[in-house]
Amino acid sequence: MTTTPFGLSTVLGYPRIGPDRELKRALESYWAGRIDAAALHRVGAQLRAGVWRDLRRTGVDAIPSNTFSFYDHMLDAAVAVGAVPDRFRRLGLGELDTYFAMARGTVGEPALELTKWFATNYHYLVPEIGPDTVFVARPGKPAAEFAEGRELGMTTRPVLVGPATFLLLSKAAAGAPEGFRPFDRLDDLVTVYGELLAKLADAGVVWVQLDEPAYTADRTAAEVDALRAAYTRLGALQQRPRLFVASYFGELGDALPALLATPVEAVGIDLVAGPGNVARLAGCGPIPGRTIVAGLVDGHNIWRTDLRAAVARAAVLTGIADDVVVSTSCSLLHVPVDLDDEPGLDQQLRARLAFARQKAGEVVQLGRALRDGVAVLPEPPGAPPAQWRDDEVRSRLAQLPATSRGAYPDRAKAQQERLGLPPLPTTTIGSFPQTGRLRQARAALRAGTLDAAGYAERMRSEIAEVIALQERLGLDVLVHGEPERNDMVQYFGEQLVGFAATTRGWVQSYGSRCVRPPIIYGDVSRPEPMTVGWATYAQSLTNRPVKGMLTGPVTILAWSFVRTDQPLADTANQVALALRDEAADLEAAGIGIIQVDEPALRELLPLRRAGQRAYLDWAVAAFRIATGGVADDTQIHTHLCYSEFGEVLPAIDALDADVTSIEASRSKLEILTDLRTAGYARGIGPGVYDIHSPRVPQQSEITGALRHAAAAVPADRLWVNPDCGLKTRGYPEVEEALARLVAAAVEVRAELS
Ligand code: GLN
Ligand code: ZN
């Protein structure tokens, strides 16, 4: 067999931040005015060239382009089809600054909504589409990147978000008529995609990848028909590149035969998150002349692929399709760049890991093994070492009593007696700005120029300042500010047994923000208290209640790379048990309010309804293991971020927290309507201002939001808080915003009494 027109192996995308987070630094320098646009563009070009050369050196022969972005690929797609809302055009900024204004907001104009990219911790910007949005083909970026690749001797494959997924992930622009859906505009958008494709073909593009991951979630028959119609039209174009429609994060279901009924030359299926895709494909009968791009290497986790098993799976496909290309299950955007940057990891663990570079190597090995028939492939690592198991944790979990907490009304009464809070109590979500001084202290600790005692001293002085500031501002429930936490998951991961931390394993979360997810490889236990010292120190400085601050089990899993050798639920329960012990220690130390953050609760929700119930059951059970051990007069808070809580509302209720704070400002308090309908009847703190934007809200905006909220929630259950932690903001804006928040609460309290 000769190499196919597609190639033997590919990846659906690659990390864009650079091995050393070069993009983050360049972006932040540009935003701070330290470098100009030309310098920023130079960094972009270097990063792209670096990725392509790496992939080529590794032996990947079908190399993607346009997977780079200065902020987000959905935002890039919006720009590529001219979907820049008028409110940003009116700012009269240049192209690049308009782009960043959409991403980050400006003084006068809030950013586009930011939301989770399927079940990942990557966030995309939600395009705003109305009936009057004028779509125009702007192929500048993909065409320029393709040309750049050419200069380097590579014919790359531009990657674009497909038109159907683009619209399914967009939201209706403000002012659109009732019932309007962005998806209603699919025909118009397909016309413009046709123009984009024609222009790319003119530029010499041979293959284009159009990503349609939205079809791995439940879709209506009409949406599947529309997908078929869209690709039938695109396939019929006279002047176009070959089309590769990629899917990832699950099973395509009916969308698979729908795509195969169109003229597209290649279809990509995820065999890691969607093993059922194989049977579905087999059921489609022979598909001559088509390429199947088989996502065999997990793009969303960091474990080495069992190459022998993967080849066996791919061999089934070769019986169905003429041409099978090996790929990653999704873009490698979701894993760190290079395992070779982590020489410090335990050898037994390292032997089990693969990051983006290593995964690119795996697709190459698999592609060649498939072509050559003989699989000279390394054996998978054997059973995990015995010392990674903890029988005590397992037996404690097996014997755990059901929750001992009373009913909510009794708890609420006991808590009010203990805490004596006013109606509409004011609080924050936990973190205060992470200043340069804090980062320096952490760097000095790592470098060994500051000892543990000196570090603790600096953290204490920071906590003292944060407490004093909150007292000055007049907040009712205080926080210690989380100065000691680099990251809300990493911090716990570093202290728990069964977790490993990387030093350079950065993964993009959104824009310039990166996280370094820990790796959960073994049974989890807590050698000693993790937060009690900081919380009690903070509480010693004030008479007002200070919240103890923990990250919940689901979020810890969602933002870690988790072992795959046991069900997620088992790992979640082990983490929950460690948190339960921590909560007990906080309570014993006199902390009266404990917040267990679950901002990622929705993130892990399976895309298809069929799997959601089981997930929510274990997620809720784990949360209740973590929180169910405290007394009735200890108030349990939880915090959830980002929009679209509708489908998890019953689970939010089942968490049984006394107070739930939620993101609501970017999603315009829609959540309150849902809450009222669902009959949620405990404390609720809808975020009254958007902390993701540098813009300081007017007091009148906050009062407006509060009045709106008070219409849906009785005053004794309504809390007043920003919509998320403040760690990414600066002190001047935080002080101003919180002063307005407190003043707004006082104003609305007076109106209500
Ligand atoms: N307590 C955390 C903080 O304030 C919560 C962060 C989050 O919701 N992602 O930073
Ligand atoms: Zn949050």
Side-chain angles (χ1 to χ4, degrees):
M1 214 196 292
T2 55
T3 49
T4 70
F6 192 103
L8 285 177
S9 55
T10 193
V11 299
L12 295 189
Y14 206 75
R16 28 173 107 116
I17 47 170
D20 247 332
R21 286 181 300 157
E22 290 86 348
L23 180 60
K24 174 191 179 67
R25 275 195 296 277
L27 284 170
E28 287 169 359
S29 302
Y30 177 73
W31 295 334
R34 289 194 299 270
I35 63 169
D36 63 8
L40 179 62
H41 281 294
R42 271 198 300 281
V43 173
Q46 277 159 11
L47 288 171
R48 293 189 286 270
V51 168
W52 293 330
R53 287 204 181 99
D54 256 18
L55 289 173
R56 183 165 61 180
R57 213 177 301 126
T58 311
V60 174
D61 51 8
I63 295 180
S65 60
N66 202 40
T67 62
F68 176 82
S69 177
F70 275 132
Y71 206 95
D72 166 46
H73 52 266
M74 275 294 283
L75 182 58
D76 293 340
V79 170
V81 298
V84 176
D86 281 340
R87 61 195 183 93
F88 295 105
R89 284 180 202 282
R90 274 199 302 267
L91 297 172
L93 301 167
E95 219 173 283
L96 187 63
D97 292 332
T98 304
Y99 178 86
F100 287 134
M102 289 164 77
R104 309 174 66 228
T106 62
V107 180
E109 207 45 72
L112 294 180
E113 191 174 316
L114 189 70
T115 200
K116 302 265 176 192
W117 178 246
F118 301 93
T120 74
N121 186 30
Y122 177 80
H123 304 72
Y124 72 93
L125 288 154
V126 184
E128 294 170 2
I129 305 295
D132 310 321
T133 301
V134 182
F135 295 124
V136 196
R138 304 227 181 276
K141 179 177 181 290
E145 290 191 16
F146 178 77
E148 260 175 38
R150 276 242 161 132
E151 297 261 299
L152 299 169
M154 281 175 261
T155 304
T156 60
R157 175 184 82 244
V159 178
L160 299 165
V161 176
T165 290
F166 177 81
L167 291 175
L168 288 167
L169 298 187
S170 294
K171 62 181 265 176
E178 251 325 282
F180 169 82
R181 290 179 70 203
F183 199 67
D184 301 343
R185 301 288 315 274
L186 186 59
D187 263 349
D188 301 334
L189 188 62
V190 166
T191 305
V192 168
Y193 266 72
E195 291 165 24
L196 279 174
L197 292 177
K199 288 185 179 152
L200 290 175
D202 282 343
V205 170
V206 183
W207 279 97
V208 161
Q209 173 182 330
L210 295 165
D211 287 358
E212 295 286 4
Y215 282 83
T216 61
D218 291 323
R219 302 264 69 114
T220 63
E223 287 165 347
V224 172
D225 287 345
L227 180 78
R228 184 190 299 108
Y231 284 95
T232 302
R233 267 184 71 196
L234 292 176
L237 291 170
Q238 294 293 315
Q239 167 75 340
R240 66 162 175 90
R242 289 164 174 258
L243 300 179
F244 161 33
V245 178
S247 70
Y248 36 88
F249 300 143
E251 285 163 18
L252 270 177
D254 294 343
L256 185 53
L259 282 170
L260 292 171
T262 74
V264 301
E265 282 80 8
V267 174
I269 51 178
D270 181 337
L271 298 179
V272 177
N277 277 322
V278 177
R280 190 65 198 236
L281 188 68
C284 293
I287 42 169
R290 287 324 160 81
T291 295
I292 291 297
V293 180
L296 288 160
V297 170
D298 193 349
H300 195 192
N301 209 337
I302 42 63
W303 306 103
R304 252 178 68 184
T305 307
D306 179 342
L307 296 174
R308 295 177 180 203
V311 163
R313 242 174 309 152
V316 177
L317 296 177
T318 52
I320 305 170
D322 292 348
D323 181 28
V324 176
V325 176
V326 176
S327 181
T328 52
S329 65
C330 59
S331 168
L332 293 169
L333 181 66
H334 311 291
V335 296
V337 176
D338 193 356
L339 184 63
D340 292 342
D341 287 340
E342 298 294 336
L345 282 177
D346 172 78
Q347 281 313 309
Q348 307 222 56
L349 177 57
R350 253 183 73 98
R352 291 174 159 71
L353 300 179
F355 291 178
R357 234 186 215 155
Q358 290 70 37
K359 284 173 185 282
E362 289 182 338
V363 295
V364 172
Q365 277 181 289
L366 286 172
R368 289 181 186 156
L370 209 55
R371 177 194 58 188
D372 301 339
V374 280
V376 203
L377 292 166
E379 268 191 73
Q387 68 271 24
W388 292 3
R389 192 181 157 92
D390 186 332
D391 288 318
E392 195 194 321
V393 165
R394 287 169 179 267
S395 75
R396 277 189 67 204
L397 272 171
Q399 287 156 25
L400 207 63
T403 178
S404 47
R405 302 197 83 204
Y408 173 71
D410 301 333
R411 291 178 347 225
K413 198 160 153 272
Q415 291 160 17
Q416 187 52 18
E417 269 161 27
R418 175 175 181 182
L419 299 167
L421 295 168
L424 274 66
T426 53
T427 190
T428 60
I429 303 304
S431 58
F432 268 70
Q434 287 268 335
T435 56
R437 211 171 49 158
L438 285 176
R439 277 191 290 272
Q440 272 158 26
R442 246 194 298 286
L445 178 71
R446 261 199 312 275
T449 53
L450 183 68
D451 63 8
Y455 178 75
E457 197 39 55
R458 293 223 204 153
M459 294 303 123
R460 274 195 294 273
S461 84
E462 188 77 21
I463 289 171
E465 279 176 38
V466 169
I467 293 288
L469 170 63
Q470 294 172 91
E471 287 202 320
R472 211 158 59 235
L473 287 165
L475 287 152
D476 300 307
V477 170
L478 311 193
V479 296
H480 79 290
E482 305 177 24
E484 78 289 5
R485 301 186 194 178
N486 34 4
D487 173 281
M488 61 186 292
V489 167
Q490 209 178 310
Y491 177 76
F492 291 93
E494 280 166 6
Q495 301 186 69
L496 290 167
V497 171
F499 282 68
T502 64
T503 52
R504 293 172 66 193
W506 296 101
V507 176
Q508 187 178 30
S509 174
Y510 63 91
S512 65
R513 303 269 314 161
C514 301
V515 292
R516 204 151 40 95
I519 299 167
I520 310 182
Y521 63 89
D523 285 353
V524 176
S525 62
R526 183 193 73 140
E528 52 189 47
M530 304 180 284
T531 64
V532 176
W534 307 122
T536 50
Y537 175 68
Q539 186 65 82
S540 75
L541 301 172
T542 178
N543 293 325
R544 301 184 187 205
V546 173
K547 287 194 271 194
M549 203 53 71
L550 304 177
T551 303
V554 178
T555 299
I556 289 187
L557 256 61
W559 297 350
S560 299
F561 292 116
V562 185
R563 58 193 287 192
T564 49
D565 62 340
Q566 68 178 18
L568 283 178
D570 294 357
T571 307
N573 288 346
Q574 294 182 354
V575 173
L577 184 63
L579 294 168
R580 182 184 177 99
D581 292 344
E582 185 72 14
D585 285 344
L586 283 168
E587 186 179 48
I591 299 296
I593 307 183
I594 299 171
Q595 179 171 312
V596 179
D597 290 325
E598 284 291 22
L601 182 71
R602 200 191 168 286
E603 177 181 318
L604 284 194
L605 187 73
L607 299 177
R608 290 198 183 266
R609 206 146 270 139
Q612 292 179 352
R613 179 64 192 275
Y615 158 72
L616 289 171
D617 283 351
W618 72 250
V620 167
F623 184 88
R624 293 183 68 153
I625 289 177
T627 55
V630 300
D632 284 2
D633 69 351
T634 296
Q635 192 168 65
I636 294 289
H637 287 218
T638 189
H639 166 68
L640 310 164
C641 332
Y642 305 101
S643 48
E644 294 162 46
F645 283 112
E647 53 207 312
V648 296
L649 270 180
I652 294 177
D653 194 40
L655 294 178
D656 198 29
D658 300 303
V659 180
T660 303
S661 64
I662 47 172
E663 196 269 60
S665 66
R666 277 197 184 195
S667 50
K668 308 279 183 300
L669 297 168
E670 282 154 12
I671 178 78
L672 293 175
T673 330
D674 301 337
L675 274 171
R676 199 169 29 189
T677 326
Y680 177 89
R682 290 186 293 280
I684 182 86
V688 289
Y689 88 87
D690 176 14
I691 65 91
H692 297 96
S693 163
R695 191 177 152 270
V696 176
Q698 296 299 323
Q699 188 178 318
S700 58
E701 291 172 63
I702 304 178
T703 355
L706 280 178
R707 287 192 190 115
H708 188 90
V713 184
D716 61 337
R717 293 201 277 108
L718 184 59
W719 285 66
V720 183
N721 46 258
D723 68 354
C724 200
L726 302 167
K727 63 173 165 248
T728 59
R729 300 270 65 98
Y731 267 105
E733 52 192 282
V734 160
E735 286 195 43
E736 212 178 342
L738 291 180
R740 291 178 188 174
L741 178 142
V742 171
V746 170
E747 198 182 331
V748 177
R749 232 176 249 161
E751 290 169 12
L752 291 174
S753 67

